[in-house]
């Protein structure tokens, strides 16, 4: 299977640069993977496609303001992007320009609120860095850090919380689980009132989610790893839906990846913590997932391959071409799709 099989033409002006005014006012393309029908709706209409007894599974990770701009002691400008908390105050970090940051180099951020010392160069060119500060690390990040927006967004984000779901709870992501950005607290309350269960998983989204597939053949791609956990009470909600013949609906590909990583052959899940490198592409047989709420993904990306595995490559690419024709907004701040 060729990576080029998952390509489509996208005009640059359809890449959403800023969030829409109302979270649930974005457009919603509804795909029926059984009949191959396509409907055009508004996101708040999602409630009409959810049935009592269904279980909606969302990722409650929280994006940290992981982009930092600082200076070396020489005065040279340096940019950090925090990737992974190795232990205590030691982080794996992308640094720019990397050729100027050798082991032992010190960098100062926020007029001295935060200092960093480079401990080592890691595989792939990232740096192991130790931070020094007074107070609480996350509070300092909130003051001086910026949201690590995807590389295709060139506008400045005016409100930090718009790159955060309304139910974000646990710090740790370098990117938002963007399918969840469309939900408001009011819409979630209406969904609960209709009798739909809401379960949480936590998967900390890594910057690897934006890395292009460099292999020509899909099967040779080495998937990035991401840390996740699911609690017992959330696993039970999912299992209850399965037992009663109702659907398990993932909010986003991150929730989907957790479910498919931990599900047994009958689709049941249990309390688990671990790392996943699951790579879902056409030919994959879903064990737990029945339906998916997702955004529109980059051409030739692993996420486009995942939705193609769920609904069929030809149907998905037809839907994407229709979305382009209908001028849907694409990617992180763009419109949504419901595959049922």
């Amino acid at each position: 299977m060729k990576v080029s099989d998952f390509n489509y033409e996208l005009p640059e002006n359809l890449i959403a640069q800023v969030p829409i005014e109302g979270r649930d006012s974005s457009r919603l393309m509804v795909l029926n993977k059984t009949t191959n029908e396509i409907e055009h709706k508004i996101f708040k209409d999602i409630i009409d496609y959810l049935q009592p007894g269904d279980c909606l599974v969302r990722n409650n990770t929280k994006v940290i303001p992981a982009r930092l701009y600082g200076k070396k002691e020489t005065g040279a400008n340096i940019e950090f992007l925090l990737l992974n908390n190795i232990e205590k105050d030691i982080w794996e970090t992308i640094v720019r320009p990397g050729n100027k940051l050798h082991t032992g180099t010190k960098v100062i951020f926020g007029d001295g609120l935060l200092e960093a010392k480079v401990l080592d160069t890691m595989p792939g060119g990232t740096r192991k860095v130790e931070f020094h500060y007074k107070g609480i690390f996350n509070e300092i990040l909130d003051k001086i850090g910026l949201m690590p927006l995807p590389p295709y967004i060139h506008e400045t984000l005016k409100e930090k919380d718009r790159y955060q779901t309304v139910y974000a709870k646990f710090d740790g992501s370098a990117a938002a689980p963007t399918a969840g950005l469309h939900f408001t607290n009011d819409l979630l309350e209406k969904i609960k009132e209709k009798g739909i269960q809401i379960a949480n998983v936590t998967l900390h989204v890594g910057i690897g989610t934006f890395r292009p597939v460099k292999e020509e053949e899909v099967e040779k791609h080495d998937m990035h790893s991401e840390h996740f956990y699911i609690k017992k009470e959330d696993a039970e909600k999912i299992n209850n839906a399965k037992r009663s013949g109702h659907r398990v609906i993932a909010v986003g590909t991150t929730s989907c990846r957790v479910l498919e990583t931990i599900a047994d052959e009958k689709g049941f899940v249990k309390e688990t913590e671990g790392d996943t490198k699951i790579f879902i592409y056409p030919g994959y047989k879903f064990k737990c997932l029945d339906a998916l709420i997702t955004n529109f993904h980059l051409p030739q990306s692993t996420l486009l391959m995942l939705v193609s595995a769920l609904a069929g490559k030809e149907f998905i690419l037809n839907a994407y071409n229709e979305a382009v024709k209908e001028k849907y907004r694409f990617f992180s701040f763009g419109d949504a799709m419901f595959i049922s």
Side-chain angles (χ1 to χ4, degrees):
M1 202 180 315
K2 300 291 184 188
V3 172
S4 56
D5 293 341
F6 297 87
N7 202 14
Y8 66 93
E9 293 298 322
L10 179 67
E12 197 170 326
N13 66 309
L14 295 184
I15 300 173
Q17 293 296 313
V18 294
I20 197 166
E21 182 71 27
R23 286 177 182 264
D24 59 1
S25 300
S26 55
R27 296 166 76 186
L28 176 69
M29 178 181 275
V30 181
L31 304 189
N32 186 314
K33 62 182 187 286
T34 306
T35 65
N36 281 11
E37 289 177 290
I38 296 176
E39 296 178 85
H40 303 284
K41 300 287 182 177
I42 301 298
F43 190 80
K44 62 183 67 171
D45 298 330
I46 191 75
I47 194 166
D48 298 332
Y49 295 88
L50 306 177
Q51 303 302 325
D54 287 345
C55 184
L56 202 61
V57 184
R58 64 191 188 184
N59 182 5
N60 63 6
T61 188
K62 192 172 187 179
V63 186
I64 59 173
R67 194 178 297 280
L68 295 165
Y69 292 95
K71 290 183 182 294
K72 289 171 60 178
E73 290 172 303
T74 60
N77 292 323
I78 297 292
E79 178 188 346
F80 274 23
L81 180 62
L82 307 184
L83 286 187
N84 176 39
N85 188 198
I86 298 170
E87 58 173 308
K88 294 185 180 177
D89 295 318
I90 298 175
W91 286 75
E92 180 185 2
T93 308
I94 293 175
V95 298
R96 294 190 185 94
N99 60 348
K100 293 185 178 179
L101 279 188
H102 306 296
T103 300
T105 304
K106 292 182 180 178
V107 182
I108 298 164
F109 304 93
D111 296 325
L113 276 178
L114 190 65
E115 292 185 11
K117 182 179 179 182
V118 179
L119 300 180
D120 201 2
T121 299
M122 300 180 70
T126 58
R127 300 296 195 277
K128 184 187 283 188
V129 170
E130 184 172 18
F131 287 99
H132 300 276
Y133 53 90
K134 290 180 181 177
I136 299 170
F137 185 68
N138 283 348
E139 288 183 0
I140 294 170
L141 277 190
D142 279 337
K143 280 182 185 174
I144 65 174
L146 298 174
M147 283 299 187
L149 294 178
Y152 46 75
I153 292 178
H154 309 297
E155 295 284 331
T156 303
L157 182 63
K158 291 178 181 175
E159 300 172 66
K160 274 187 185 179
D161 69 342
R162 288 309 307 272
Y163 193 57
Q164 205 80 270
T165 64
V166 296
Y167 47 81
K169 190 171 183 182
F170 298 107
D171 288 321
S173 276
T178 54
L181 296 178
H182 304 282
F183 287 92
T184 63
N185 286 317
D186 184 52
L187 179 56
L188 288 166
E189 279 306 310
K190 287 176 181 173
I191 287 169
K192 288 178 189 173
E193 287 167 8
K194 190 173 177 179
I196 291 113
Q197 290 291 309
I198 296 179
N200 294 301
V201 298
T202 306
L203 179 140
H204 294 314
V205 187
I207 213 73
T209 193
F210 301 118
R211 285 194 185 128
V213 180
K214 293 181 179 176
E215 302 289 348
E216 285 186 18
E217 293 178 29
V218 169
E219 295 85 351
K220 291 183 178 177
H221 176 63
D222 182 29
M223 195 71 174
H224 61 281
S225 179
E226 291 172 320
H227 192 72
F228 73 88
Y229 54 90
I230 178 173
K231 296 178 180 176
K232 185 178 180 181
E233 59 264 32
D234 295 302
E236 274 308 305
K237 288 178 182 178
I238 294 162
N239 292 338
N240 286 340
K242 296 300 273 185
R243 287 190 197 100
S244 59
H246 292 101
R247 296 177 302 172
V248 174
I249 302 165
V251 178
T253 55
T254 59
S255 302
C256 166
R257 292 181 71 227
V258 173
L259 292 173
E260 292 301 311
T261 297
I262 64 178
D264 64 21
E265 290 307 311
K266 293 183 179 178
F268 293 108
V269 300
K270 62 182 179 181
E271 181 179 14
T272 314
E273 179 170 2
D275 298 297
T276 180
K277 290 189 73 172
I278 191 169
F279 181 20
I280 298 174
Y281 54 87
Y284 179 85
K285 302 299 181 191
F286 286 84
K287 298 175 288 186
C288 183
L289 187 81
D290 298 299
L292 176 68
I293 298 167
T294 188
N295 278 21
F296 290 88
H297 304 296
L298 277 74
Q300 300 188 26
S301 65
T302 60
L303 303 182
L304 184 57
M305 294 169 195
L306 185 154
V307 296
S308 296
L310 182 62
K313 178 169 69 73
E314 190 176 326
F315 183 36
I316 285 292
L317 290 178
N318 285 343
Y320 269 58
N321 288 330
E322 183 161 333
V324 169
K325 190 176 79 176
E326 296 292 329
K327 292 186 165 47
Y328 273 68
R329 301 165 78 243
F330 278 69
F331 306 161
S332 296
F333 286 141
D335 295 316
M337 174 184 279
F338 179 47
I339 304 172
S340 67

